[in-house]
Amino acid sequence: SEEEISTLDADVKGFMRYFREEFPTATIPIKMHLLEDHVVPWIRRWRFGVGFHGEQGIEEIHAHFKTIESKTCQPEETKQIYAVLKSHIIATSPKHVGGIPDAKKR
């Protein structure tokens, strides 16, 4: 129901607020990003949870990133991550190359 989805939304926001307060220097893992920014809109749109799809898609992307990473060598971690992400977007969505979205204020 919409009430349950709204409760989930409030709970996710509360959890993320707690996480950021308690671990201010921690990075946000990908699954927490998905939870924070994508799960509730997904449930509102499709009316079922993302668990329905399993983890195969995430595992496939992870394997793809590892393959790219093994072929990319950069001296700094940030440059390495950038190179991997750039290679990924070129391979999966070449028309989106060059654009960097603005960071979301939280």
Side-chain angles (χ1 to χ4, degrees):
S1 73
E2 187 56 41
E3 183 180 329
E4 291 171 317
I5 296 170
S6 294
T7 299
L8 174 64
D9 191 29
D11 290 344
V12 168
K13 287 176 181 168
F15 170 74
M16 293 304 297
R17 189 170 37 256
Y18 169 82
F19 182 84
R20 286 188 173 95
E21 288 170 3
E22 294 298 315
F23 308 99
T25 61
T27 58
I28 302 297
I30 187 70
K31 288 185 181 181
M32 286 174 68
H33 162 72
L34 291 171
L35 177 65
E36 180 176 34
D37 291 330
H38 303 289
V39 169
V40 172
W42 172 274
I43 292 172
R44 278 204 168 101
R45 180 174 182 181
W46 301 108
R47 295 301 200 204
F48 59 86
V50 294
F52 179 79
H53 296 281
E55 291 202 15
Q56 291 86 355
I58 292 171
E59 294 301 327
E60 185 175 334
I61 289 283
H62 181 255
H64 183 203
F65 275 26
K66 286 296 185 186
T67 299
I68 294 169
E69 189 176 37
S70 70
K71 297 175 183 177
T72 309
C73 182
Q74 295 291 327
E76 297 173 32
E77 183 179 16
T78 303
K79 288 181 180 180
Q80 176 71 11
I81 292 168
Y82 179 82
V84 169
L85 292 174
K86 185 175 179 182
S87 294
H88 173 71
I89 194 131
I90 288 169
T92 59
S93 188
K95 67 181 177 180
H96 291 103
V97 173
I100 299 174
D102 294 331
K104 222 167 127 179
K105 297 273 183 188
R106 299 197 197 272

